[in-house]
Amino acid sequence: MRFMALASEQTAPFQAEYAAARALGNLRLGEQRLYFRAGLKVWYLPYRDIRRYFRRVVEVPAKLCCGRGNFAAEYLVLYGDAGELAQIALPGTRAARAAMEALAALCPDAAAGKP
């Protein structure tokens, strides 16, 4: 596993923090940083670099054997000083709401909700 910095912090994170972090799908909420997996890399972002966060629900059209339908895909979107930093896929609505509640406590200075 290779750790990659997403914003200002360039020091290597602690393996113990990543291992002890709360997992919500491929998102992990540590004490000082947010981690998420993309491919073979683990990206991390300190909470102090998050300026805004919100849920993004995308309707995905699907062709099924009995007709057509739409599936809802849930994402957590993170904004920093430079704009949109990450769009992280989450397994469902329950995980997205839990992530929003946890981020409200972990980074109280960041604004919640879409601009």
Side-chain angles (χ1 to χ4, degrees), residues 28-43:
R28 287 183 178 248
L29 300 169
E31 292 178 17
Q32 299 175 7
R33 298 173 192 92
L34 176 140
Y35 300 89
F36 64 96
R37 289 188 319 261
L40 297 175
K41 298 177 183 174
V42 175
W43 295 89

Side-chain angles (χ1 to χ4, degrees), residues 25-90:
N26 64 350
L27 173 72
R28 287 183 178 248
L29 300 169
E31 292 178 17
Q32 299 175 7
R33 298 173 192 92
L34 176 140
Y35 300 89
F36 64 96
R37 289 188 319 261
L40 297 175
K41 298 177 183 174
V42 175
W43 295 89
Y44 63 93
L45 179 67
Y47 294 122
R48 67 176 181 272
D49 291 342
I50 299 173
R51 299 294 174 246
R52 180 177 296 277
Y53 60 92
F54 58 91
R55 281 175 46 203
R56 182 177 285 161
V57 181
V58 178
E59 293 289 325
V60 180
K63 294 181 183 178
L64 305 171
C65 62
C66 56
R68 294 177 180 240
N70 290 335
F71 293 109
E74 297 270 344
Y75 295 95
L76 177 68
V77 181
L78 304 173
Y79 271 76
D81 292 332
E84 186 173 322
L85 297 174
Q87 178 175 308
I88 305 165
L90 294 172

